[in-house]
C-alpha cells in the first residue's frame, strides 16, 4: 500500500490544484483546462479511486486495452469521457469510433478515410484532434508542422470531418515550451481552439502556453505497471 499522502485521491486534488494555479497565473480560468487522467497500464483499483473522487475524463493509448477496461463501465460511471491518445491503425477505426468520445491522433489521409466510413456505419462521430509531430521525430506519429495546414484543409474539405483540436507529444529531451508554442501557433492560424498538450512532467508549462487539455498519467496514479522503477524516476 502506498502512503495516504500518495493516494490517488490526494494526487488528483494536487494535480487539479496545480492546474488551477498555473491557469490563474497565466490569466486564464481554471475551468478552461480539462484534466485527462491517463489510465493506460494502471491497475483498476487506482482508476476506480479517482472515479470515486469525481474524475470522469480518461485517456488510453491502445484500443484493445481500452475496450477491455471501459466497454462495460458506462452504466456504472455515467458521464465518462474516453479519449484515444495513442496511434490508431486504420483497421481499428470502427472499434475506436464505437468506444471513444474523442480521438486525438488523426494524422493521415488513410485514417481520415477509415474514420469517415466508420462514422457513417456507426451513426456516431467522436470529436477529432489532429496530432502534430512538433519535434519531427521519425519514430513518432503525427503530421509534420510544415504539412499541418494542408492536412487540416484536406481533413475538413476533402474528407468532410470536423477537427476541434490539435495534440502534440514533445521530444523527451527538449524544452517543451517551444513545442507548445508551435502547436498553439498552428492551431490559431487554422481557427482551432483546443490544444491537448502537457504530461506529468510539464503540464503546468503547457497550461501557460494555452493547453485546454492536459494528459496526466504517472503524476496521478504512480508508475505504470511493468515499468522499471528507474523508468518512473521523477515521480
Ligand atoms: C502515457 C501518455 C501520457 C501520460 O504520461 P505521464 O508522463 O505518465 O503523465 C500522456 N500522453 C500520451 C500520448 C501518453 O501516451
Amino acid at each position: 500500500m502506498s502512503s495516504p499522502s500518495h493516494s490517488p485521491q490526494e494526487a488528483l486534488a494536487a494535480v487539479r490544484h496545480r492546474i488551477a494555479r498555473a491557469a490563474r497565473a497565466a490569466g486564464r480560468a481554471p475551468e478552461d483546462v480539462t484534466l485527462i487522467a491517463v489510465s493506460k497500464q494502471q491497475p483498476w483499483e487506482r482508476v476506480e479511486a479517482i472515479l470515486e473522487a469525481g474524475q470522469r475524463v480518461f485517456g488510453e493509448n491502445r484500443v484493445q486495452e481500452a475496450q477491455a477496461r471501459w466497454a462495460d463501465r458506462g452504466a456504472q460511471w455515467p458521464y465518462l469521457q474516453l479519449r484515444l491518445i495513442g496511434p490508431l491503425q486504420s483497421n481499428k477505426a470502427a472499434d475506436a469510433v464505437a468506444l471513444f468520445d474523442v480521438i486525438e491522433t488523426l494524422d493521415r489521409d488513410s485514417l481520415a478515410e477509415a474514420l469517415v466510413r466508420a462514422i457513417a456505419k456507426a451513426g456516431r462521430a467522436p470529436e477529432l484532434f489532429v496530432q502534430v509531430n512538433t519535434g519531427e521525430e521519425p519514430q513518432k506519429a503525427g503530421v509534420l508542422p510544415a504539412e499541418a495546414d494542408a492536412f487540416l484543409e484536406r481533413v475538413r474539405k476533402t474528407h468532410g470531418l470536423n477537427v476541434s483540436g490539435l495534440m502534440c507529444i514533445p521530444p523527451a529531451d527538449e524544452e517543451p515550451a517551444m513545442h507548445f508554442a508551435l502547436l498553439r501557433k498552428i492551431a490559431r492560424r487554422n481557427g482551432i481552439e483546443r490544444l491537448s498538450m502537457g504530461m506529468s512532467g510539464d503540464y503546468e508549462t503547457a497550461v501557460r502556453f494555452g493547453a485546454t487539455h492536459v494528459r496526466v498519467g504517472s503524476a496521478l496514479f504512480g508508475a505504470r505497471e511493468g515499468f522499471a522503477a528507474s523508468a518512473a524516476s521523477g515521480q
Side-chain angles (χ1 to χ4, degrees):
M1 288 292 289
S2 51
S3 68
S5 66
H6 292 97
S7 73
Q9 293 94 331
E10 298 225 351
L12 177 65
V15 170
R16 283 183 175 163
H17 174 76
R18 291 170 70 147
I19 290 170
R21 195 178 53 190
R24 283 196 205 93
R28 305 181 59 204
E31 58 270 25
D32 290 348
V33 184
T34 298
L35 170 63
I36 303 170
V38 178
S39 47
K40 67 182 186 196
Q41 297 160 39
Q42 293 289 350
W44 178 250
E45 314 84 73
R46 294 186 194 166
V47 179
E48 198 166 40
I50 78 161
L51 275 162
E52 279 164 2
Q55 175 69 23
R56 286 295 178 276
V57 183
F58 290 87
E60 291 279 352
N61 70 335
R62 285 163 186 247
V63 176
Q64 267 166 319
E65 185 189 341
Q67 275 177 324
R69 163 164 289 175
W70 292 107
D72 299 321
R73 303 277 185 202
Q76 192 188 352
W77 300 102
Y79 309 109
L80 268 184
Q81 186 191 78
L82 299 180
R83 307 177 68 104
L84 179 64
I85 60 172
L88 177 57
Q89 291 171 274
S90 296
N91 64 9
K92 300 242 172 70
D95 288 340
V97 164
L99 180 66
F100 290 98
D101 302 291
V102 184
I103 294 173
E104 296 200 5
T105 51
L106 174 55
D107 65 353
R108 58 197 191 278
D109 289 277
S110 57
L111 179 57
E113 284 164 16
L115 287 170
V116 167
R117 286 193 298 272
I119 287 166
K121 220 166 165 183
R124 172 181 207 276
E127 193 182 323
L128 298 174
F129 282 34
V130 162
Q131 182 176 355
V132 182
N133 185 358
T134 57
E136 306 187 29
E137 296 172 280
Q139 81 284 7
K140 206 166 263 177
V143 62
L144 293 172
E147 290 163 14
D149 294 1
F151 180 65
L152 285 163
E153 164 116 357
R154 289 199 303 281
V155 169
R156 290 162 154 173
K157 301 225 168 105
T158 310
H159 303 296
L161 293 167
N162 284 322
V163 175
S164 57
L166 299 183
M167 179 271 222
C168 76
I169 310 169
D173 56 354
E174 283 181 29
E175 172 56 49
M178 59 182 272
H179 295 276
F180 299 153
L182 174 60
L183 195 71
R184 178 174 61 182
K185 191 168 136 196
I186 296 169
R188 287 214 171 134
R189 67 176 183 241
N190 285 283
I192 289 173
E193 293 187 352
R194 298 184 177 176
L195 293 171
S196 173
M197 54 191 200
M199 316 198 328
S200 288
D202 55 19
Y203 64 91
E204 289 165 287
T205 305
V207 169
R208 257 195 287 131
F209 280 83
T212 60
H213 295 74
V214 293
R215 308 179 306 267
V216 180
S218 44
L220 278 177
F221 296 110
R224 284 179 277 282
E225 283 187 334
F227 262 48
S230 62
S233 67
Q235 281 318 305

